Amino acid sequence: MGVEIKSEHIDIAGKGITLASVRGGSAVIGVCSAGYGAKRGDTSALTRLLYIGNNPVAEILCPNHGSRNSDKMISLCTGYYGMDEDIHSTLSECLNTLNHGSSLEAGLHDVLALLQDGVYTLYLSDYYPTDGSGTFFWGAYNLAHEIHGTAEHSRTIGKDRTYRPCFLIPGSPLDTYDSKTIQMTDVAVQSRAVQGIVLHVTGLHSVLLKGHHGAVSCTAAKLPFRCAVIEKINEPYTDIFTIPAPAPAPEENTQEENTETAEQKPTPAPEIQEQEGITGFRSASVKIPLELMPRDMTKLILETRFEYKPAHYRTLTRKVPQVRKKSYSNKLVPRPVLDLCEEMPDSEIMESVFAVDKLTQPQLDALLAGETECDGEIIISPNFYASIVTACNYLQYTNPKKFIEFSLNILDNPDLNATHEYIANRISRVLSKDVYSFFRAVAENEDPGYEKIIPIAKKYIAYYDKQKNDK
């Protein structure tokens, strides 16, 4: 039986969503559970394998029995040498098809045929070619370490909100880097509408299937790295509805008695009701109500497992312990590219962007006054420290000028010293006369209240002076 791929377009609140169902897929590319192991002495950590063809690409260690609220530890498998040529050719043809003007469902048809059965959403989105902490993604996963932003349910964003993944895991090892190929992609990226193809893996992170050299070229040329995204829809969700409290029935009293009663009786609280059963199915970026989900796709989601072991699972597990003789690092990549990555938004900033709809000046003033509420509503979080951190990260991405002003006001307030070290580290990434003046005053006065940020101030002053002298 051959693979059956169907696509549907639906509209949710004026936003067009492209869905694609895969039945009978070859499961050549995917993620599967590899059970529990005793790695790092943690027997409660579930291991997942990201694989392409017969090769395990990355080990994903999921703590707390695979909890969706926990960040994962990710590392490239030490024996991975690259994907098979036939898979690479298929991916290259699909990227070319997309750049010749084909729709997402047509251009990604052959890639979808390589995936596990299920329902996927397809869209275009810009990615930052980093691991989410300012390191160029291609050589960032040689050693197993916790990757912030890989939890499916981020505590900052909240489990009920959607978000768009924007960071990368390499689908090819760094020893496939070729400076001659870079010379060609430097030219090609200037005319491409789509620079890469990615498959969402977990949280804010997706695996780059095609476009590694293009990512280097786009970063060097300061071009957006726009990718065709494939994201699996598999998680049921239930919406919680708030029903306004009914108005109290009028009583037959005199006007004076009514006034007295109104003063004594508190306003009834709104009733919060949770729908029985599920509201729909979701992925990271979309929530699709059951009434809008095509019936055959709903059936496919219910019939298929979230992740299942492919037929060549034993081959994958046998290859996991293999080790290559040589390990490659990002030193192969041009230094200017690595420097530019350090200036890109990190996972904490992007989590804050997806967690906050907007911040008004009265809300910012309330935060500076030590309040977490404004006009009777929680601004960001009941936790003041978390609110300050999230607000700064959000402003850093959306309004750099306001970010500098808000951050300096926080640093100038000794009552908010619990947040000073974090904010100082954040603002030290921005070249600004105002920031320079503040840090210079901190370094010269050596106020005990600023003891924790004095090293940050001195480092910033040295860097600022060097940049000024170089110009």
Side-chain angles (χ1 to χ4, degrees):
M1 179 181 174
V3 61
E4 179 185 336
I5 298 175
K6 293 182 179 180
S7 61
E8 294 279 355
H9 294 269
I10 62 174
D11 184 272
I12 301 178
K15 179 183 177 183
I17 306 292
T18 301
L19 300 177
S21 64
V22 179
R23 191 183 290 273
S26 60
V28 170
I29 300 173
V31 180
C32 67
S33 170
Y36 289 88
K39 284 194 174 183
R40 301 184 180 275
D42 185 1
T43 56
S44 68
L46 176 68
T47 300
R48 296 165 67 199
L49 284 182
L50 167 63
Y51 65 90
I52 299 177
N54 290 323
N55 300 301
V57 177
E59 281 188 283
I60 305 171
L61 204 63
C62 310
N64 302 320
H65 302 282
S67 169
R68 301 177 73 83
N69 299 315
S70 301
D71 285 327
K72 324 301 182 192
M73 295 183 68
I74 303 178
S75 62
L76 286 186
C77 293
T78 51
Y80 183 52
Y81 60 85
M83 65 184 70
D84 297 336
E85 184 56 38
D86 57 339
I87 299 175
H88 182 266
S89 298
T90 299
L91 293 169
S92 298
E93 290 171 8
C94 288
L95 184 61
N96 290 334
T97 302
L98 289 170
N99 280 298
H100 288 154
S102 292
S103 63
L104 285 172
E105 56 268 36
L108 294 173
H109 180 278
D110 291 346
V111 180
L112 291 168
L114 301 177
L115 304 181
Q116 298 177 338
D117 288 0
V119 178
Y120 299 84
T121 181
L122 314 176
Y123 60 93
L124 294 173
S125 185
D126 291 345
Y127 270 71
Y128 299 108
T130 75
D131 64 344
S133 63
T135 304
F136 189 66
F137 77 101
W138 211 346
Y141 299 88
N142 289 334
L143 299 175
H145 63 288
E146 186 178 277
I147 309 296
H148 187 77
T150 49
E152 292 90 345
H153 295 161
S154 162
R155 287 181 172 82
T156 302
I157 299 173
K159 69 175 184 178
D160 297 323
R161 284 177 171 266
T162 57
Y163 56 90
R164 284 208 166 187
C166 52
F167 301 113
L168 295 172
I169 300 169
S172 292
L174 191 54
D175 52 342
T176 58
Y177 175 87
D178 188 345
S179 58
K180 293 181 180 179
T181 303
I182 291 294
Q183 295 174 11
M184 293 185 289
T185 55
D186 283 345
V187 177
V189 297
Q190 301 292 335
S191 58
R192 286 178 183 165
V194 182
Q195 306 288 0
I197 299 174
V198 302
L199 174 67
H200 178 240
V201 176
T202 181
L204 293 171
H205 291 69
S206 301
V207 59
L208 182 61
L209 300 176
K210 176 64 182 176
H212 293 70
H213 288 87
V216 178
S217 297
C218 283
T219 305
K222 297 184 179 180
L223 293 173
F225 188 61
R226 195 161 183 77
C227 295
V229 186
I230 305 172
E231 192 176 282
K232 195 169 189 179
I233 297 173
N234 48 50
E235 182 182 355
Y237 72 91
T238 301
D239 276 336
I240 296 175
F241 302 96
T242 301
I243 302 175
E251 299 179 5
E252 296 181 359
N253 294 328
T254 63
Q255 185 174 359
E256 292 181 359
E257 289 176 336
N258 280 337
T259 304
E260 184 180 352
T261 303
E263 291 176 352
Q264 292 176 352
K265 289 186 177 181
T267 304
E271 182 182 356
I272 297 177
Q273 288 191 351
E274 186 170 331
Q275 176 178 311
E276 293 184 5
I278 67 170
T279 306
F281 292 95
R282 64 166 293 172
S283 62
S285 66
V286 295
K287 296 172 74 173
I288 303 177
L290 282 175
E291 60 269 21
L292 296 180
M293 177 76 76
R295 182 171 296 181
D296 58 336
M297 291 189 177
T298 302
K299 183 180 179 183
L300 182 59
I301 291 175
L302 296 174
E303 289 178 344
T304 55
R305 297 181 63 183
F306 163 51
E307 290 177 356
Y308 58 86
K309 293 179 173 65
H312 56 287
Y313 172 74
R314 293 191 179 277
T315 303
L316 295 174
T317 54
R318 280 197 300 267
K319 288 186 175 183
V320 169
Q322 293 180 357
V323 179
R324 288 180 296 160
K325 292 182 180 179
K326 190 173 183 180
S327 179
Y328 292 81
S329 71
N330 267 332
K331 290 181 180 178
L332 290 171
V333 179
R335 184 70 208 180
V337 171
L338 305 182
D339 292 339
L340 287 168
C341 286
E342 293 178 1
E343 300 173 8
M344 293 181 180
D346 59 23
S347 55
E348 290 186 354
I349 289 178
M350 296 313 299
E351 283 179 335
S352 300
V353 169
F354 294 121
V356 179
D357 294 323
K358 65 177 182 178
L359 280 175
T360 63
Q361 190 58 50
Q363 289 175 325
L364 294 176
D365 292 340
L367 288 173
L368 289 173
E371 303 292 336
T372 58
E373 293 187 16
C374 182
D375 295 332
E377 294 184 355
I378 300 286
I379 301 170
I380 296 173
S381 165
N383 184 292
F384 178 69
Y385 179 83
S387 297
I388 288 288
V389 167
T390 303
C392 277
N393 291 337
Y394 174 81
L395 292 174
Q396 187 175 356
Y397 184 84
T398 58
N399 192 335
K401 184 177 179 181
K402 183 70 71 176
F403 163 67
I404 294 173
E405 178 187 336
F406 183 69
S407 298
L408 291 179
N409 284 332
I410 293 172
L411 294 173
D412 206 32
N413 187 341
D415 294 334
L416 304 180
N417 60 356
T419 64
H420 284 182
E421 188 173 4
Y422 181 89
I423 302 302
N425 276 311
R426 277 288 172 197
I427 205 169
S428 66
R429 300 184 181 190
V430 182
L431 285 177
S432 162
K433 289 182 179 179
D434 293 335
V435 177
Y436 177 78
S437 299
F438 176 82
F439 277 146
R440 193 161 191 86
V442 167
E444 290 174 352
N445 296 333
E446 296 191 353
D447 189 325
Y450 291 120
E451 182 181 356
K452 290 183 179 180
I453 70 171
I454 288 175
I456 301 171
K458 291 180 177 179
K459 185 178 179 181
Y460 182 88
I461 293 166
Y463 179 74
Y464 186 94
D465 289 339
K466 183 178 182 300
Q467 294 296 317
K468 189 175 180 181
N469 292 333
D470 289 345
K471 292 180 179 180

